[in-house]
Amino acid sequence: MPQLRPALIAVALTLAIATPAQATAGPALTIENGRTQPVFSYADAIREHVYVESTVDSDLDGKLDKVRVDIIRPKESGPGLKVPVIIDESPYYDNSGRGNEGERKVYDAAGNVAKFPLFYDNYFVPRGYAVLNVDMLGTTRSEGCPDIGGKADVLGGKAVIDWLNGRAKAYKADGAPAVADWTTGNAAMIGKSYDGTLANAVAATGVEGLKTIVPISAISSWYKYQRSNGVIYNYDYASWLANYVDTDPEAKCKPVRDKMDAEDGDDTGNYNPFWAERDYIKGLLGDASKVKASVFVIHTVNDLNVKPDNFSAWWKALADRDVPRKIWVGQTQHVDPFDFEGRRGLWVDTLHRWFDRWLHGVDNGIMREPRADVEVGPAKWITQRDWPAPFAMKATLRPAPDGSLGLKPAAKDSTASFTDVAMSETAMVADVGTPNPGRVAFTTGALPLDLRLSGTPTADLRVKLDKPTSNLTALLVDFGEDTRVDWRRGQGITTLTEEDCHGESTAADDACYKKVVTNVATRPLEIVARGWIDVQNRSSLSQAAPLPVGTYGTVKWLTLPQDYIFKKGHRIGLVIAGTDSTYSGETGTGAGVTVDLAQSSVVVPFALTTPLADVPRDKARFHGPDRIELPESESAFQFF
């Protein structure tokens, strides 16, 4: 029998005091080795549903919208044994489904869910948790209209937390009041994509009772999801998505969708009140300063659906406020950590320990472990104390008129020119040694050692235009044959036929899922980092300011973040172009763009991957144990 730490003894005493012998028959919460144990029957669990009254009327029918909440909890839970709650709120339970296998809710004859998507119910209910699958307002069996990140989305989820803590009303199917007398009120929200976005949104309200969130590939700013510094990715996207997830007849919520189209600012690409309402970092409904929950972020640097600036900006805002947090950073595309090759068991156990720590109060040491797990190659992971790499140093790479990229500024009055036309990324990076009227390209020589980019590069250009504005694209490219994660194919994974199981099963709901492997491909180059801006938004996202024709101006912006190793012998490339048709629906302005090379650069955060002892003495000048300087040439950078 392992020894109990003081915190575990306190948990045991609390449960003993709060659970009189006559109140609950059967097992009680059991903790061993810092983990809750599966002592409750999954087959015998209570399955029920309620309708929580929100504070919004999103469909404008004169009644407050009710949120459908499907619940599974241990049979023993009740006033005598209260359990915490894990919530996955989603708009996808009856359309695209959840998880790699697209699972949907399956209902029994009484209208309760017999099959809950994903493994959360199978694994955590036996360990003393309730699991709630919540239909976002306007979807599946909830009332209202989808609000695509706005007020109804946010306050619908918040109402569920309020109900769990006695601050909101709920009703059973027959209209009788429903009271959550079986829960401690301690709640977690988890989910991928839109589900994780709802977790971010509700946490940003500062609602009491939400103890932790686990946002996976989640949006923190809908502007960042559909815009980059004034460049529009998709037109009328919010109304399209609202229609996709809505379960009602199309006409019911058409006025709501029309209002979205009228307010989204597609005519300018500017940040406006529509996007401020849908901004959880610093927005109208909530922001990072209000977050009271701990946060376990999971995202991938090649997610070009929910682009990684959504997690990096959120992560920085949380770090600035010292929010308790943890992070996993992968290299596939829009993929759940349950489907990271070779890490499924580790993910389940890590999530288990995280929830035990923040919902049951188990002191299991997870907050004393390295904060960040980072994938640095196909299915190759490292741990470090934070992300980005804490000791990354910024290198300023400068383009030259001969097409080189190095440390020295180009000569005064050196320029390069191109025209803003819509061009695919494939075309932008093809034949970089050959002139192309739609782009300019610069490359280093062969790298003398591996360099790891960890963080967010900054493009800093001085340009003049022959029209009032232009879109600009900056691409950081790795030129060199290598086998890399093929995140373009199947989101970066292939699903196998073999399954493994995590949790308990019933005939209606099994805990087994197909394994996956990481897709890889050998290619001569990889676009590592991307960044876009509309020049007229160079000073403000909310107020356009055309650049006077023929006048130079500074255009400085962040690319998407990355974590990537440039291998020894490879070359780093910088490509500057106009409209990126791979990710933007815009057509390009046709503007002629002149770049002042002497005052333009890209700043890249590099971390050293080679031990200092392995750096050739004839290739470097050493400045103590934590900094070296390579010669200033096109193939060398100052770092550490």
Side-chain angles (χ1 to χ4, degrees):
M1 185 82 178
Q3 288 186 333
L4 290 175
R5 296 182 181 179
L8 301 189
I9 294 173
V11 171
L13 288 174
T14 300
L15 289 171
I17 293 170
T19 312
Q22 69 271 21
T24 302
L29 188 71
T30 301
I31 301 170
E32 294 178 0
N33 299 318
R35 295 164 177 81
T36 50
Q37 298 300 304
V39 297
F40 301 97
S41 168
Y42 179 73
D44 295 336
I46 295 171
R47 293 163 174 83
E48 58 187 346
H49 65 278
V50 302
Y51 297 89
V52 174
E53 186 175 82
S54 74
T55 58
V56 294
D57 174 15
S58 62
D59 55 9
L60 307 176
D61 65 354
K63 299 181 295 183
L64 294 176
D65 301 331
K66 293 185 178 65
V67 185
R68 164 79 177 223
V69 180
D70 289 298
I71 302 167
I72 180 170
R73 57 186 175 91
K75 179 181 66 176
E76 295 80 5
S77 61
L81 178 61
K82 297 189 176 188
V83 297
V85 172
I86 297 168
I87 300 169
D88 186 348
E89 182 185 9
S90 179
Y92 295 131
Y93 282 129
D94 68 348
N95 39 71
S96 61
R98 305 313 299 132
N100 187 40
E101 298 176 37
E103 290 189 318
R104 299 183 181 187
K105 289 180 177 179
V106 177
Y107 303 89
D108 63 18
N112 294 315
V113 171
K115 177 180 177 61
F116 286 77
L118 306 177
F119 76 98
Y120 304 138
D121 56 310
N122 308 86
Y123 188 85
F124 286 105
V125 170
R127 289 166 169 80
Y129 292 85
V131 172
L132 277 56
N133 281 11
V134 176
D135 299 338
M136 190 186 83
L137 282 179
T139 70
T140 314
R141 300 193 177 190
S142 284
E143 298 174 350
C145 290
D147 201 17
I148 309 305
K151 184 177 179 181
D153 281 14
V154 177
L155 299 184
K158 179 180 180 293
V160 176
I161 306 296
D162 285 335
W163 173 65
L164 294 170
N165 287 274
R167 298 188 299 266
K169 298 177 182 178
Y171 303 91
K172 299 178 183 179
D174 62 5
V179 180
D181 59 358
W182 43 264
T183 179
T184 62
N186 292 344
M189 294 185 72
I190 185 172
K192 176 192 165 192
S193 197
Y194 208 139
D195 305 19
T197 301
L198 294 168
N200 283 341
V202 175
T205 69
V207 61
E208 294 287 349
L210 183 60
K211 299 299 183 183
T212 192
I213 61 170
V214 185
I216 301 166
S217 302
I219 296 166
S220 61
S221 162
W222 286 82
Y223 183 88
K224 291 183 180 295
Y225 182 55
Q226 283 302 306
R227 303 280 193 272
S228 175
N229 304 300
V231 175
I232 299 172
Y233 298 145
N234 303 287
Y235 289 92
D236 292 334
Y237 180 85
S239 62
W240 174 87
L241 182 58
N243 198 34
Y244 174 78
V245 301
D246 197 350
T247 54
D248 296 306
E250 188 163 333
K252 176 186 174 182
C253 292
K254 187 177 186 303
V256 176
R257 296 193 299 274
D258 289 346
K259 187 171 184 287
M260 290 180 183
D261 288 342
E263 294 179 350
D264 63 11
D266 276 357
D267 56 328
T268 66
N270 289 348
Y271 183 95
N272 63 19
F274 178 87
W275 301 107
E277 182 178 321
R278 293 159 173 82
D279 185 343
Y280 314 131
I281 299 172
K282 191 174 182 180
L284 297 178
L285 297 178
D287 59 65
S289 69
K290 297 179 181 177
V291 173
K292 298 174 183 175
S294 63
V295 183
F296 187 177
V297 172
I298 301 91
H299 217 110
T300 57
V301 289
N302 292 312
D303 189 342
L304 274 303
N305 176 355
V306 180
K307 296 177 179 62
D309 54 344
N310 274 278
F311 93 81
S312 61
W314 182 239
W315 181 254
K316 183 179 185 303
L318 297 173
D320 289 345
R321 293 158 178 82
D322 201 26
V323 173
R325 64 201 183 278
K326 187 173 179 64
I327 191 168
W328 281 18
V329 179
Q331 285 198 357
T332 50
Q333 202 177 156
H334 200 55
V335 173
D336 192 288
F338 192 74
D339 298 312
F340 291 167
E341 181 185 349
R343 289 177 71 86
R344 181 170 290 179
L346 177 61
W347 165 245
V348 173
D349 184 63
T350 303
L351 186 62
H352 181 188
R353 295 173 63 226
W354 184 262
F355 283 154
D356 278 356
R357 165 65 181 83
W358 290 105
L359 297 180
H360 276 303
V362 178
D363 182 10
N364 52 26
I366 194 167
M367 296 306 293
R368 295 187 290 276
E369 296 171 358
R371 182 173 285 150
D373 283 35
V374 183
E375 189 176 17
V376 294
K380 179 181 179 183
W381 291 75
I382 62 172
T383 60
Q384 58 191 37
R385 66 177 176 85
D386 211 336
W387 190 90
F391 297 108
M393 300 293 288
K394 294 179 179 179
T396 301
L397 309 183
R398 304 179 185 276
D402 63 356
S404 65
L405 185 66
L407 294 179
K408 291 183 177 180
K412 185 178 179 180
D413 298 327
S414 298
T415 63
S417 300
F418 63 92
T419 302
D420 173 21
V421 295
M423 180 184 292
S424 72
E425 286 191 345
T426 300
M428 288 180 182
V429 300
D431 302 319
V432 293
T434 303
N436 185 315
R439 66 101 208 274
V440 290
F442 312 90
T443 60
T444 69
L447 296 177
L449 72 170
D450 291 355
L451 286 174
R452 176 185 167 203
L453 187 170
S454 183
T456 305
T458 301
D460 189 353
L461 308 181
R462 189 168 184 262
V463 303
K464 69 177 179 180
L465 312 176
D466 63 6
K467 292 187 177 183
T469 194
S470 170
N471 291 333
L472 295 180
T473 296
L475 304 178
L476 203 62
V477 188
D478 177 19
F479 290 103
E481 191 86 3
D482 200 7
T483 300
R484 306 173 176 92
V485 174
D486 187 4
W487 51 269
R488 299 169 185 82
R489 178 167 58 93
Q491 305 286 333
I493 60 173
T494 293
T495 304
L496 307 177
T497 57
E498 182 184 359
E499 293 186 327
D500 59 11
C501 305
H502 299 273
E504 298 181 14
S505 300
T506 62
D509 191 337
D510 71 79
C512 303
Y513 294 86
K514 294 176 181 177
K515 295 181 178 180
V516 302
V517 293
T518 302
N519 294 336
V520 297
T522 301
R523 294 194 179 100
L525 63 89
E526 178 79 358
I527 299 172
V528 176
R530 301 161 169 83
W532 309 278
I533 193 170
D534 183 338
V535 171
Q536 64 185 344
N537 289 110
R538 65 196 181 280
S539 300
S540 170
L541 297 182
S542 58
Q543 187 67 46
L547 182 64
V549 171
T551 302
Y552 276 106
T554 297
V555 186
K556 184 176 182 179
W557 78 101
L558 300 177
T559 73
L560 299 181
Q562 253 289 356
D563 210 294
Y564 181 90
I565 295 176
F566 293 91
K567 300 287 184 65
K568 178 181 178 180
H570 288 203
R571 295 177 300 137
I572 297 175
L574 171 65
V575 175
I576 305 170
T579 301
D580 185 342
S581 64
T582 303
Y583 297 106
S584 173
E586 298 190 24
T587 58
T589 66
V593 182
T594 302
V595 182
D596 179 356
L597 298 180
Q599 297 189 56
S600 295
S601 64
V602 60
V603 179
V604 186
F606 283 123
L608 186 65
T609 63
T610 303
L612 292 182
D614 295 340
V615 177
R617 292 280 165 169
D618 62 346
K619 295 286 182 69
R621 298 193 295 275
F622 286 76
H623 301 272
D626 61 349
R627 182 174 176 270
I628 62 174
E629 183 181 339
L630 294 173
E632 289 191 349
S633 71
E634 64 180 5
S635 62
F637 311 98
Q638 181 175 313
F639 53 96
F640 267 56

